[in-house]
Amino acid sequence: MFNAIKQEYWLLLAVLAALIALPMEHALLGHGQAIALGGALALIAAIVCASLRVAHHAEQLAERVGDPYGTMILTLSAVLVEVVILAIMMSNQASPTLVRDTIYSAVMLDINGILGLAALMGGLKHGEQSYNDDSARSYSVMILTAMGISMVVPEFIPESDWKAYSMFTIGAMLVLYAVFLRMQVGPHSYFFSYSYPEKKHRGGEGHGEDASQVNVAWSIGVLVFGVIVIGVLAEVMSLALDVGLEGTGAPPVLTAIVVAGISAAPEILTALRAALANRMQSVVNIALGASLSTVILTVPVMEAMALYSGQPFQMAMTPVQTVMVFITLIVCAINLNDGETNAIEGMTHFVLFATFIMLAMLGL
């Protein structure tokens, strides 16, 4: 047990940060903008440390159960972190566009950032990398449908009808996810897996033996505890970040990018390792699965919060965001239609990610 605890030094560091930040919250917020911004950056680093450990244990559980269940655990853990941070920040009266901008940023980061960089690096190392194209098509059409219902159509809904449409959106997202989940773990689970040639291991010891040694109870416990720590850190971080950025002229979407980046940080490392190991199916499942989970699970939770509080927030994307999402999904559909990725396809997505960052810095 002691050795297991010693391995969680990153999580222990995050716990230490929480124990320091909670009693010093008022001092942190009351000693000027520079102190608040520095504290927010330190807390963001602590949240990333905790989220890395959450992702590590989610990855261990994923290896234990295998695909497609494994990828589902990885993406759900990232979405859980994102929902916790968003819920806490929204309770602190954050920007009414924070949820919309975070979901949009997460999709850009997952598809164009993670998938683009992984396909680029993997393509440079291995050339063409194979995967099951059924998974890409299934994810893409689900992402387009979910974002269309929840983030495009609301632009045309009268303000007086927002409650009715919010309730419809919650139901539609839950039905979509239930059907997709049934397909992912049921009769169509083969859509989301790919048979790679087995590599020989020295001494006759395979990967499966390592996976069988995972302490499931410990991993689940650390995962849950890590999410709680992230929630505590996010409470102070959101307040410090608001104070630190006030009056600086920073683009409004910056906070949303920070939230999306925190939740996606562990996925980036996992996807890059998979791409360099020539396992592109895992990359596709992580990048597209995380995008879908972000939309289809974050939207109903946050819409339910809005209905409960009686305070609506802006879900309809701006024209620039809508165009970027449609370009991304069109490029994704073209690139991922043949069961192989290469460096050129990775570069197209990564250029779109760079465009997203440039537009964000311009405040668009």
Side-chain angles (χ1 to χ4, degrees):
M1 177 62 72
F2 180 72
N3 289 333
I5 294 175
K6 281 178 60 179
Q7 293 177 358
E8 304 300 330
Y9 52 88
W10 288 115
L11 182 57
L12 294 176
L13 184 63
V15 172
L16 179 62
L19 293 175
I20 294 173
L22 282 176
M24 294 184 62
E25 179 179 340
H26 294 294
L28 181 65
L29 301 178
H31 281 74
Q33 196 170 31
I35 298 296
L37 184 58
L41 294 176
L43 291 172
I44 288 171
I47 291 173
V48 171
C49 289
S51 66
L52 287 172
R53 295 312 298 169
V54 168
H56 170 75
H57 287 282
E59 192 172 353
Q60 284 194 324
L61 292 172
E63 291 176 357
R64 178 68 181 269
V65 300
D67 278 332
Y69 302 95
T71 302
M72 188 168 60
I73 293 173
L74 285 171
T75 56
L76 287 179
S77 66
V79 172
L80 179 60
V81 170
E82 184 174 87
V83 168
V84 168
I85 296 174
L86 272 177
I88 290 172
M89 295 183 74
M90 290 302 294
S91 68
N92 291 330
Q93 298 181 341
S95 166
T97 62
L98 177 62
V99 175
R100 177 200 71 187
D101 291 342
T102 300
I103 294 174
Y104 164 70
S105 299
V107 171
M108 292 294 104
L109 181 57
D110 290 332
I111 298 181
N112 291 328
I114 295 178
L115 179 61
L117 184 59
L120 174 60
M121 294 181 63
L124 291 175
K125 181 176 180 179
H126 300 288
E128 293 184 334
Q129 296 182 281
S130 301
Y131 63 93
N132 188 339
D133 57 343
D134 286 327
S135 59
R137 284 195 292 267
S138 300
Y139 281 126
S140 297
V141 72
M142 290 287 289
I143 294 169
L144 179 59
T145 302
M147 294 196 77
I149 291 172
S150 63
M151 301 180 71
V152 177
V153 174
E155 176 66 28
F156 308 99
I157 303 299
E159 187 175 347
S160 58
D161 297 327
W162 79 268
K163 288 187 177 180
Y165 192 76
S166 288
M167 289 187 286
F168 167 78
T169 302
I170 292 172
M173 295 298 104
L174 294 177
V175 169
L176 275 173
Y177 189 67
V179 173
F180 180 78
L181 191 62
R182 176 76 178 91
M183 181 179 72
Q184 189 177 26
V185 302
H188 296 290
S189 60
Y190 63 91
F191 280 12
F192 308 93
S193 60
Y194 186 85
S195 297
Y196 294 96
E198 291 296 329
K199 294 182 178 180
K200 295 181 179 180
H201 298 271
R202 293 180 181 179
E205 294 182 359
H207 182 69
E209 183 176 341
D210 293 334
S212 67
Q213 295 175 357
V214 173
N215 188 328
V216 174
W218 175 258
S219 291
I220 293 174
V222 173
L223 194 153
V224 173
F225 179 71
V227 170
I228 294 172
V229 172
I230 288 169
V232 173
L233 290 168
E235 172 73 27
V236 184
M237 181 274 292
S238 63
L239 297 173
L241 192 61
D242 287 341
V243 173
L245 294 178
E246 187 176 0
T248 62
V253 76
L254 181 60
T255 303
I257 294 175
V258 169
V259 176
I262 288 171
S263 62
E267 293 175 335
I268 296 172
L269 299 177
T270 304
L272 290 180
R273 284 198 298 264
L276 293 176
N278 201 20
R279 304 186 75 83
M280 185 51 62
Q281 183 63 53
S282 296
V283 176
V284 171
N285 286 349
I286 289 171
L288 299 186
S291 296
L292 177 60
S293 297
T294 295
V295 181
I296 215 166
L297 295 178
T298 304
V299 167
V301 173
M302 303 312 296
E303 291 280 11
M305 283 186 60
L307 289 172
Y308 177 76
S309 65
Q311 297 295 324
F313 46 80
Q314 181 68 31
M315 281 301 297
M317 292 187 292
T318 66
V320 172
Q321 290 174 338
T322 302
V323 169
M324 282 297 295
V325 166
F326 278 116
I327 291 175
T328 294
L329 293 177
I330 290 171
V331 171
C332 184
I334 295 173
N335 282 343
L336 301 181
N337 71 339
D338 60 353
E340 291 181 336
T341 62
N342 55 58
I344 295 175
E345 294 174 354
M347 179 55 72
T348 59
H349 279 291
F350 200 68
V351 167
L352 284 174
F353 178 69
T355 305
F356 155 70
I357 295 297
M358 184 63 196
L359 292 172
M361 294 302 102
L362 294 174
L364 299 174

